[in-house]
Amino acid sequence: MRVLIVEDDSILADGLCRSLTQSGYAVDNAAHGENADHMLAYQNYDLVILDLGLPKLSGFDVLKRLRQRGGQTPVLILTARDGVADRVKGLDLGADDYLTKPFDLGELEARIRALIRRGQSGGSAQLGVGKLILDTAGRRASVADQPLDLSARELAVLEILMLKTGRVVSKEQIMERLCNWEDDIGDNAIEVYVHRLRKKLKTCDIQIRTIRGLGYLLEQHDKP
Ligand code: CA
């Protein structure tokens, strides 16, 4: 899942980038409002963490422009401003959640998961297809209660495919959500991750089909 952090405090931004990357997100950082506005116009994100006091363009303006363009990306405002008026304004402009600094990292991450889920999987922290269960909070997957040994990237690809179970996901869509702007995974990397996932899911009632020219599709199949 790809997250944009809009934060001009570089120490806080670096800390957030590090923790969220460790938790398996692909993270970009915009240090001022104009930059954030450009990135949001150009790139799809699964979530935006938005500071309000920003150089060049305020957080409120970034949010307003995003929603005016029809952007549906969930937005979590993370700010030192704890006044009710700011909260109300943020939510009225289309923010989905509001957290004030100082904040607890565990709480922030729980809210991030909740917001991403709300948009994609209808609210549960656990994704399940057949015997395959992916716990998005604990970052682990299992088949019939047997844990699967997956790398962070394999887990991320599996999550993207599971969220779209039964539908085709293109390689570009996977790539876009897997990497930030600094990452450069080669063209074949997605194929490699899918190949490894298939091997690890071999004994399971799940298959990942290649739809030629379009992408991949995860579905349950009935094994004899
Ligand atoms: Ca600020």
Side-chain angles (χ1 to χ4, degrees):
M1 298 295 123
R2 189 153 173 183
V3 175
L4 176 65
I5 297 172
V6 187
E7 174 61 67
D8 59 325
D9 175 341
S10 63
I11 295 177
L12 177 57
D14 285 352
L16 277 177
C17 283
R18 248 198 315 275
S19 341
L20 294 185
T21 303
Q22 265 174 12
S23 300
Y25 298 96
V27 185
D28 289 317
N29 174 221
H32 60 75
E34 236 168 50
N35 194 7
D37 188 50
H38 289 152
M39 289 167 93
L40 285 167
Y42 182 79
Q43 177 68 51
N44 286 320
Y45 287 94
D46 296 293
L47 181 88
V48 183
I49 298 173
L50 182 64
D51 183 22
L52 291 180
L54 293 167
K56 298 196 182 179
L57 198 64
S58 80
F60 283 138
D61 289 325
V62 172
L63 176 60
K64 203 188 289 175
R65 292 188 186 189
L66 171 69
R67 294 300 184 233
Q68 275 170 354
R69 282 193 299 269
Q72 311 257 313
T73 313
V75 172
L76 185 154
I77 292 178
L78 183 62
T79 178
R81 299 187 197 166
D82 58 358
V84 174
D86 281 324
R87 249 174 220 269
V88 169
K89 185 174 179 189
L91 296 169
D92 277 347
L93 284 173
D96 300 89
D97 201 356
Y98 197 107
L99 191 61
T100 44
K101 302 170 187 168
F103 59 93
D104 177 78
L105 188 61
E107 181 181 0
L108 175 68
E109 292 210 21
R111 287 181 185 225
I112 291 173
R113 288 193 297 271
L115 284 173
I116 291 180
R117 286 198 313 262
R118 206 182 292 166
Q120 302 186 350
S121 66
S124 168
Q126 278 204 349
L127 302 174
V129 182
K131 291 186 176 124
L132 174 65
I133 301 283
L134 192 152
D135 172 6
T136 60
R139 307 300 308 156
R140 59 186 165 240
S142 58
V143 172
D145 288 333
Q146 294 297 309
L148 282 175
D149 182 20
L150 301 179
S151 72
R153 277 278 164 81
E154 288 161 9
L155 196 75
V157 172
L158 186 61
E159 183 177 1
I160 293 165
L161 291 172
M162 285 180 80
L163 281 166
K164 303 259 182 197
T165 297
R167 284 174 286 168
V168 180
V169 187
S170 72
K171 234 192 248 185
E172 290 72 26
Q173 285 172 323
I174 298 177
M175 194 102 86
E176 187 174 81
R177 306 175 91 162
L178 207 58
C179 315
N180 63 15
W181 281 7
E182 277 130 50
D183 262 345
D184 190 19
I185 62 172
D187 223 24
N188 298 326
I190 306 291
E191 282 169 38
V192 173
Y193 296 134
V194 169
H195 174 75
R196 288 192 200 140
L197 280 172
R198 278 185 180 135
K199 266 170 104 175
K200 292 177 183 182
L201 293 171
K202 216 171 178 174
T203 56
C204 174
D205 56 348
I206 297 301
Q207 61 179 355
I208 301 171
R209 280 167 52 199
T210 300
I211 312 294
R212 198 167 287 280
L214 290 176
Y216 300 103
L217 181 152
L218 181 143
E219 64 183 6
Q220 193 178 358
H221 68 79
D222 307 312
K223 255 202 171 143

